[in-house]
Amino acid sequence: MKNAIVLAAGLGRKIWPYGEFRQKCTIPVANKPIIRRIVENLVEIGIEQIIVVVGHYAQQVRGAIADIPNVKFLPQHPLNGTADAVLTALKTLNDENFLIIYGDTVTTSENYRNLIKAFESQNAEAAALIQPLSDEDASNWLCAKTHNGCLSGIDGHPRGGSHRLCGIYAFKATAKPYLLRNPGIVTQVPVGGMPPPESEVAQSIQIMIDDGIEVLTVETTDFFVDVDKPWHVLEANRRLVDYLTKQVDENHIAVGAKISDAAEINGHVVLGENTVIGPRVVVNGTLIAGANNNITNGAILHGNIYIGDHCRISDYCDIESSAIGNRCIVGHGAEMSGVMFDKVYLYHYCEMSGVFGCATDIGAATVCGTLRFDDRDTPIQVEGRYEVPTYGANATYMGDYCRTGVNAIIMPGRRIGSYSVVGPGVILYEDVPSKTMVMAKQELITKPWGPDRYGW
């Protein structure tokens, strides 16, 4: 297999607040855009030609991977679905086999290898990567019916199912007619189902099955996350950081990096050039940190943690199982668990849990609530439909370029759009649209007071 088509044109509406001003496939996972990690994995397994189909915020995609050799960009106009996007890319291939990868998927190169190995060893016409649903709701996904290692059919957002399609496929060049025959809508839906009018690769696979062509199924072995909703950003980062830190079985200290004798290290550390772990720092778990970081003065890090470059982590802050971007600051007793994009500042005793967008500034004593009084998960409305996430339901999801004032309280499961402000003293019970400021209106009550009132 020498060719791959990566689909990176979609609008990403369901992942708000991260898809409105950002191409979804450029969201960072362990400090690297999803699309870049996909392309690097494809290069690693020997793919020689990578065609990336772009559309919505195309320049962001180019900016993320244009320095990688053998990558070609093709625009899709209009955005008519994934099968149409593949047909756009196939115009540049010379009747060769190819992979299809949806550009919002986060997994390991091993899953790619396993799919290609099964496809080639069994001389299949097509193969699909599938994943057990576990506790996921089948009605949220395109699902796979399987029989004896092959697809027996697809199911569009059914009321039940055992496996979901991952959006990663291998095809022979002879499959092109089935992409052309795609009806532009998924017809394999339950009675009462309401599929959008767009061409989906899975429907072309159904046509192949209807014509008696065997389509292999290969089940995921390592983790897999389809970054479709905001909580999937949190899940993808957590699972990838756990995967990367499990590969670390000894310390790796780069040139110029230092660990103070007054630090307490209970685990393994990987430190980039000139990163310093200073006195009174406690590391309980595995830490991977890039270059030029200053981790000092009583910072407490526990769980698996991934830190970018040029960060300051200091002053008795507490970080648990997080992915932290480049040029971030966490200090002065701040607590953090989740994901920070680049240049996020947490100061002065704030308590943050969730995903926090680029260049976001968190005011002193801002608190994210993570436990409801009824101990339940928070339903989150996505495109008008309420879902209860299986992961991160009560986390906070804050877009890029946001701010909070002092003593803001963000209730469980709330989302804050990009370019927005949550003012001082606000107790936030509802989502905040992008480009919005929310302020608390204070009612002042003035009464006479003095020694006589005090009771002197």
Side-chain angles (χ1 to χ4, degrees):
M1 183 73 72
K2 301 299 181 184
N3 303 286
I5 299 168
V6 183
L7 307 182
L11 296 174
R13 292 191 183 99
K14 289 186 286 187
I15 205 165
W16 186 84
Y18 306 108
E20 188 173 2
F21 303 104
R22 180 192 287 269
Q23 167 52 242
K24 178 168 66 166
C25 73
T26 67
I27 291 171
V29 175
N31 296 338
K32 187 176 291 187
I34 295 171
I35 186 72
R36 187 174 184 90
R37 195 171 294 280
I38 289 172
V39 170
E40 288 180 350
N41 284 344
L42 292 174
V43 171
E44 177 190 336
I45 65 172
I47 300 297
E48 296 177 358
Q49 179 177 209
I50 301 170
I51 300 169
V52 180
V53 182
V54 296
H56 180 60
Y57 289 134
Q59 187 53 47
Q60 294 182 12
V61 181
R62 295 188 189 100
I65 55 175
D67 60 317
I68 301 176
N70 302 321
V71 174
K72 181 184 293 186
F73 301 95
L74 289 177
Q76 181 190 18
H77 295 299
L79 303 180
N80 284 334
T82 55
D84 178 74
V86 173
L87 286 170
T88 298
L90 287 180
K91 296 173 184 176
T92 65
L93 292 183
N94 298 318
D95 294 329
E96 298 174 271
N97 299 346
F98 57 94
L99 281 178
I100 298 172
I101 301 97
Y102 285 27
D104 57 358
T105 56
V106 179
T107 188
T108 68
S109 56
E110 192 62 27
N111 278 325
Y112 297 140
R113 285 194 184 97
N114 291 342
L115 181 67
I116 294 170
K117 182 179 178 180
F119 171 75
E120 293 181 338
S121 65
Q122 299 189 42
N123 194 30
E125 189 76 15
L129 191 70
I130 63 172
Q131 182 188 38
L133 278 169
S134 186
D135 55 353
E136 291 274 2
D137 185 348
S139 67
N140 293 326
W141 303 106
L142 284 168
C143 292
K145 299 176 182 177
T146 64
H147 180 71
N148 292 334
C150 292
L151 277 176
S152 58
I154 70 160
D155 245 346
H157 297 250
R159 297 180 178 92
S162 61
H163 290 77
R164 54 153 304 191
L165 294 166
C166 294
I168 300 175
Y169 307 102
F171 283 98
K172 282 188 176 179
T174 49
K176 182 177 178 179
Y178 293 99
L179 294 162
L180 289 167
R181 289 170 56 190
N182 193 295
I185 192 168
V186 175
T187 61
Q188 305 302 116
V189 296
V191 172
M194 297 185 180
E198 60 183 21
S199 64
E200 163 59 51
V201 171
Q203 184 61 43
S204 293
I205 290 176
Q206 181 64 53
I207 299 171
M208 296 176 74
I209 295 167
D210 292 342
D211 280 3
I213 296 175
E214 286 193 346
V215 178
L216 293 179
T217 57
V218 178
E219 194 167 307
T220 55
T221 53
D222 293 324
F223 78 95
F224 172 88
V225 182
D226 182 341
V227 184
D228 190 49
K229 315 284 173 55
W231 53 89
H232 295 137
V233 179
L234 186 63
E235 180 183 5
N237 273 275
R238 182 67 57 84
R239 295 194 186 282
L240 182 58
V241 169
D242 286 348
Y243 173 81
L244 294 173
T245 53
K246 283 178 182 176
Q247 317 305 312
V248 179
D249 54 10
E250 61 181 0
N251 293 342
H252 296 272
I253 312 299
V255 175
K258 300 177 182 178
I259 301 177
S260 168
D261 291 338
E264 180 183 335
I265 310 296
N266 303 308
H268 296 302
V269 296
V270 176
L271 303 182
E273 292 184 1
N274 303 317
T275 285
V276 174
I277 294 182
R280 297 175 296 282
V281 170
V282 178
V283 177
N284 292 319
T286 300
L287 167 66
I288 300 176
N292 302 301
N293 295 296
N294 187 12
I295 305 170
T296 191
N297 194 27
I300 303 170
L301 293 79
H302 46 105
N304 297 324
I305 295 175
Y306 197 102
I307 299 175
D309 302 330
H310 301 283
C311 295
R312 175 157 63 83
I313 312 295
S314 64
D315 302 315
Y316 297 94
C317 65
D318 187 305
I319 299 176
E320 178 183 5
S321 302
S322 295
I324 297 174
N326 304 301
R327 301 185 184 279
C328 292
I329 294 176
V330 184
H332 295 92
E335 299 180 22
M336 171 64 198
S337 176
V339 180
M340 296 165 60
F341 293 1
D342 289 350
K343 207 174 181 180
V344 178
Y345 287 9
L346 309 184
Y347 266 126
H348 301 296
Y349 311 107
C350 56
E351 299 177 15
M352 310 306 293
S353 177
V355 181
F356 303 94
C358 181
T360 287
D361 187 17
I362 301 299
T366 297
V367 174
C368 294
T370 57
L371 182 66
R372 290 164 38 132
F373 288 135
D374 60 6
D375 298 323
R376 295 183 179 180
D377 289 335
T378 302
I380 296 179
Q381 190 176 28
V382 178
E383 292 281 277
R385 175 177 178 265
Y386 281 97
E387 297 182 33
V388 178
T390 57
Y391 193 99
N394 292 333
T396 292
Y397 299 95
M398 189 176 292
D400 298 322
Y401 314 113
C402 290
R403 305 190 76 166
T404 72
V406 297
N407 289 311
I409 299 174
I410 303 169
M411 300 304 282
R414 296 285 57 88
R415 293 170 296 167
I416 300 165
S418 297
Y419 302 101
S420 289
V421 174
V422 179
V426 169
I427 303 176
L428 190 67
Y429 289 95
E430 304 293 336
D431 293 345
V432 178
S434 300
K435 298 181 180 179
T436 301
M437 176 181 284
V438 179
M439 301 294 287
K441 184 177 180 181
Q442 184 179 24
E443 182 179 354
L444 298 178
I445 300 174
T446 303
K447 293 183 177 182
W449 195 252
D452 54 335
R453 298 280 179 169
Y454 186 77
W456 186 262

